[in-house]
Amino acid sequence: MNLKQFLLALHLTPGVGKVKEAKVIAALNQQGNPEQGPYPWPFLTLALVLGLEPGSQPYRQIQASYEWSLDKALAYQGDWLTYFDKYYPKRLSEIYQPPLVLFYQGDLRALALPSLAVVGARAASSYGLTALRQLLPDVIKTGIGIVSGLAKGIDVMAHQTTFHYGGVPVAVIGTGLDRAYPANHRLLQEQVGQQGLLLSEYPVGSLPLRSHFPDRNRIIAGLSSATLVIEAKHYSGSLITANLALQENRQVLAVPGPIDAPLSVGPNELIQAGALPVLTSSDIIKAVSCLT
């Protein structure tokens, strides 16, 4: 068993979440070059890193789960990326509780591009769609990758625009790579995997659970040099992504809108709080270029 298989087994182990994975990342970082092993890790070493007392019930439960997950990891046929792989993006490695494992389809070179997260309302208005069509083409033509979550509305329009102008789409989803949510986005999801890069923290078969999407949003924000918000209500997933970007010291951009439009409340409040108002494509390009 090599390091990648060990980390995949750990990631697949029930009861090992982001907090415990962060402890393992820290332990391996202290080791220096984790590729030097020795592997396979004895389970006792793993348990001590996770803060489990040998012989305790939590220890025995995690041990049984880990051994079951190890078989799954050794038999896994898909592609996955770990925190310690050379293609793992530096931007993402710097966030709080970075993903230990990412499953993927597509070209990992997309992770090296300067990138812009585009998020917004699922029920986008004609104003939001006009803003997207006016702002994104020149951004895409400069070679900036477009990161989004394949949700309805602005997310889908951002990737459709990216395809139209020959850009590189990067989608982070909240299900396994074998599922699409919503289901009618399956074709677009497959296109992203073929022409860009499709990423998920969740193994095949994973359903679109509510808890998956805030975690997905942290990856969208972490992958990107900057996050652009085009229309959002006062409380929305788009603002969660924007706030996560701010917590990671990333630039947040927002398209201002009419003060009487409910979908402009989110971007206008972000601008009031210090986000960069976007009026032209140049505003976006300058922001991404400065941060890359």
Side-chain angles (χ1 to χ4, degrees):
M1 179 177 65
N2 58 30
L3 176 64
K4 286 191 66 169
Q5 291 168 325
F6 162 71
L7 295 177
L8 177 59
L10 176 64
H11 184 68
L12 295 175
T13 300
V16 177
K18 299 191 301 297
V19 174
K20 290 183 174 66
E21 289 186 349
K23 291 182 179 180
V24 172
I25 289 173
L28 290 176
N29 275 330
Q30 290 177 359
Q31 178 178 304
N33 182 1
E35 288 286 1
Q36 292 179 355
Y39 291 99
W41 266 29
F43 180 78
L44 176 61
T45 303
L46 173 62
L48 291 175
V49 168
L50 298 181
L52 302 176
E53 182 180 350
S56 66
Q57 183 177 359
Y59 175 94
R60 293 195 301 271
Q61 289 175 337
I62 292 287
Q63 182 179 25
S65 297
Y66 172 77
E67 290 173 353
W68 173 80
S69 298
L70 181 58
D71 290 337
K72 291 186 67 177
L74 294 175
Y76 188 75
Q77 298 296 313
D79 293 317
W80 75 95
L81 181 70
T82 78
Y83 179 92
F84 297 97
D85 288 332
K86 67 177 183 179
Y87 283 108
Y88 195 93
K90 186 175 186 296
R91 288 190 296 268
L92 191 59
S93 70
E94 295 169 344
I95 73 169
Y96 178 65
Q97 294 180 348
L100 178 66
V101 169
L102 286 170
F103 303 95
Y104 74 92
Q105 292 176 359
D107 193 338
L108 289 177
R109 290 178 297 178
L111 296 174
L113 296 175
S115 57
L116 174 73
V118 180
V119 297
R122 285 172 169 79
S125 72
S126 59
Y127 173 77
L129 298 180
T130 297
L132 187 148
R133 292 188 182 108
Q134 182 172 320
L135 293 170
L136 277 195
D138 285 346
V139 174
I140 294 166
K141 291 174 185 177
T142 65
I144 293 172
I146 303 299
V147 182
S148 203
L150 277 181
K152 295 178 181 177
I154 293 296
D155 285 34
V156 165
M157 285 296 300
H159 278 140
Q160 289 173 337
T161 304
T162 304
F163 282 124
H164 183 76
Y165 288 95
V168 178
V170 178
V172 186
I173 60 175
T175 66
L177 297 178
D178 60 331
R179 296 179 181 269
Y181 181 79
N184 61 359
H185 289 179
R186 178 171 295 279
L187 179 59
L188 182 62
Q189 180 171 305
E190 291 174 354
Q191 289 177 322
V192 171
Q194 293 167 2
Q195 300 179 44
L197 183 63
L198 183 67
L199 296 168
S200 176
E201 199 171 10
Y202 305 103
V204 294
S206 297
L207 298 173
L209 302 181
R210 183 182 293 271
S211 61
H212 289 181
F213 294 94
D215 286 341
R216 176 204 64 177
N217 291 345
R218 93 185 191 285
I219 298 174
I220 292 173
L223 279 174
S224 307
S225 309
T227 295
L228 172 66
V229 180
I230 304 177
E231 292 198 316
K233 293 181 178 179
H234 181 62
Y235 297 105
S236 70
S238 299
L239 295 190
I240 291 174
T241 305
N243 287 325
L244 288 168
L246 288 172
Q247 291 172 21
E248 302 299 340
N249 296 315
R250 309 294 167 84
Q251 179 69 66
V252 173
L253 319 174
V255 176
I259 60 174
D260 62 345
L263 291 179
S264 293
V265 172
N268 289 347
E269 287 182 344
L270 286 172
I271 291 169
Q272 191 175 43
L276 179 68
V278 168
L279 303 178
T280 68
S281 301
S282 297
D283 295 332
I284 300 171
I285 295 167
K286 289 177 183 177
V288 174
S289 297
C290 289
L291 294 165
T292 301

